[in-house]
Amino acid sequence: MITDWRPDELLDGFEVRTIPLAADPDGEDPISAHLVRRGESPAEPRGAVLYVHGFTDYFFQTGIADYFHARGYAFYALDLRKCGRSLSPHHQPHYITDLRYYDEELNQALDIVTDEVSAAGGSPRVIVAAHSTGGLVTPLWLDRMRTTDPERHGHIVGLVLNSPWLDLQGEAVLRTAPVTKLITAIGAIRGKQHVPRELSEAYGHSLHSDSHGEWTYDLVRKPLGGFPVTFGWLAAVRAGQGALHAGLNIGVPALLLRSDKSHFAAAYRPAVDTADCVLDVKQIAQWSGCIGERVLAVAVPDARHDVFLSIPAAREQAYAEVDSWMESEFER
């Protein structure tokens, strides 16, 4: 049974409900997901947005909720299993060994969204929006759903990808077949073993208001230096990226937003405020055409990894691109 809505403890003006999940294939029961909604929803909404976060992330980006609400859309965000509001002390944060396991909570969330929007007298059409790893998870989900569950897929009308993680950044050797096979082998045997790779805190320091940023969020659910990367989780990501590289058909138009440049740094410096310091934007550009048959890819000058958390001029440009895309695809 899905529990009722209650006030969200992390965000004023938002509500949350728990989505219980079946037994965890990765053996960390009990697990659940959490669906968040903006407490005030438009009367007879034009549709809805379902937002999905990335790795070392959860929903706190109230600006994107306000943006869609102002345009008449009900806004929902999903904290996936073992992430954000769904993370419990007995969980390895974000741990999963097959990205398709997320289909369970994604399907349930989509059903809740369409039922509520319909009950409010609105149109049960849904735009999925996703960031970083969520931008890998959701195209794979839509590609599967298009063929296995066309009725549910029929509620999706578009996909907005915000710096999706489409390939493994770093030295070229990391993307070779032998290294991928090694990651897969270790992941199958010692899935929770940490990958021996130090993560930079530069991105966290560029965002958080206690450091150099303007955003406030929970540093337990989203630590500045990120959660440890495990071999089991990385193997799942590489399998998902491989499937995407082979070509997907998500069945709906997509807008892909990214920065115009990357800048990697071991520690914070002002240059990371106007660049993607997490992913290689050239890789995002390289693989964007593999998502579907109708993809508009836009490089936003001076955007951060999360383009909607960029400096004001860049995020205004990002929202303007969403405006233009929506007017072209849905609101003619």
Side-chain angles (χ1 to χ4, degrees):
M1 178 179 177
I2 300 175
T3 60
D4 292 334
W5 293 103
R6 59 190 184 275
D8 183 32
E9 296 180 354
L10 299 178
L11 296 173
D12 292 337
F14 286 77
E15 297 173 327
V16 64
R17 67 190 293 176
T18 303
I19 302 177
L21 300 176
D24 182 15
D26 294 318
E28 293 189 332
D29 290 316
I31 58 171
S32 61
H34 287 79
L35 188 63
V36 182
R37 73 178 181 187
R38 196 180 190 279
E40 180 187 355
S41 186
E44 299 184 358
R46 303 171 72 178
V49 173
L50 177 60
Y51 175 89
V52 182
H53 60 84
F55 180 64
T56 303
D57 206 0
Y58 72 97
F59 174 68
F60 67 91
Q61 299 88 339
T62 58
I64 193 171
D66 294 342
Y67 165 84
F68 280 107
H69 177 268
R71 282 149 185 80
Y73 289 79
F75 183 88
Y76 297 78
L78 181 63
D79 279 10
L80 300 165
R81 63 186 68 193
K82 308 176 194 177
C83 308
R85 298 165 180 81
S86 308
L87 179 64
S88 294
H90 66 281
H91 294 152
Q92 172 70 41
H94 292 249
Y95 186 72
I96 200 164
T97 57
D98 191 328
L99 299 183
R100 72 181 59 229
Y101 296 160
Y102 289 134
D103 289 7
E104 181 182 1
E105 55 256 52
L106 287 164
N107 288 342
Q108 289 195 59
L110 178 60
D111 291 346
I112 294 170
V113 170
T114 55
D115 287 348
E116 289 197 350
V117 172
S118 296
S123 172
R125 59 177 188 169
V126 178
I127 299 170
V128 175
H131 173 53
S132 199
T133 309
L136 173 65
V137 169
T138 51
L140 294 167
W141 169 53
L142 293 182
D143 179 71
R144 287 189 292 270
M145 187 167 50
R146 181 182 57 83
T147 56
T148 63
D149 196 350
E151 182 177 356
R152 184 178 271 133
H153 183 277
H155 291 294
I156 308 295
V157 296
L159 177 65
V160 177
L161 297 178
N162 169 5
S163 303
W165 192 20
L166 306 184
D167 206 350
L168 187 61
Q169 67 277 18
E171 300 88 343
V173 67
L174 298 175
R175 295 182 291 279
T176 61
V179 172
T180 298
K181 289 180 180 179
L182 178 62
I183 292 170
T184 302
I186 298 175
I189 300 171
R190 297 192 297 274
K192 293 183 181 179
Q193 180 176 324
H194 294 176
V195 175
R197 196 172 182 88
E198 186 175 349
L199 298 176
S200 170
E201 294 188 355
Y203 183 54
H205 283 292
S206 77
L207 294 181
H208 203 276
S209 58
D210 288 346
S211 188
H212 300 276
E214 58 180 295
W215 313 101
T216 300
Y217 51 84
D218 186 339
L219 293 176
V220 174
R221 293 173 173 85
K222 182 178 174 63
L224 293 177
F227 290 115
V229 174
T230 60
F231 276 98
W233 175 84
L234 187 58
V237 167
R238 290 302 286 154
Q241 290 172 342
L244 184 141
H245 296 172
L248 305 179
N249 182 2
I250 62 172
V252 295
L255 171 66
L256 187 152
L257 301 174
R258 61 172 176 84
S259 180
D260 62 332
K261 55 186 172 296
S262 295
H263 182 91
F264 302 112
Y268 173 81
R269 61 183 64 172
V272 304
D273 289 331
T274 55
D276 191 325
C277 63
V278 177
L279 297 182
D280 186 339
V281 298
K282 293 181 180 179
Q283 292 176 331
I284 299 175
Q286 177 184 0
W287 297 111
S288 60
C290 294
I291 293 167
E293 297 178 351
R294 190 179 178 90
V295 181
L296 174 62
V298 180
V300 179
D302 295 336
R304 286 192 175 107
H305 176 54
D306 187 331
V307 299
F308 299 116
L309 299 182
S310 299
I311 60 174
R315 68 175 179 260
E316 289 171 11
Q317 179 64 36
Y319 283 126
E321 295 292 349
V322 179
D323 272 340
S324 177
W325 177 74
M326 291 177 65
E327 289 171 4
S328 172
E329 295 291 350
F330 313 122
E331 299 171 0
R332 286 174 286 190

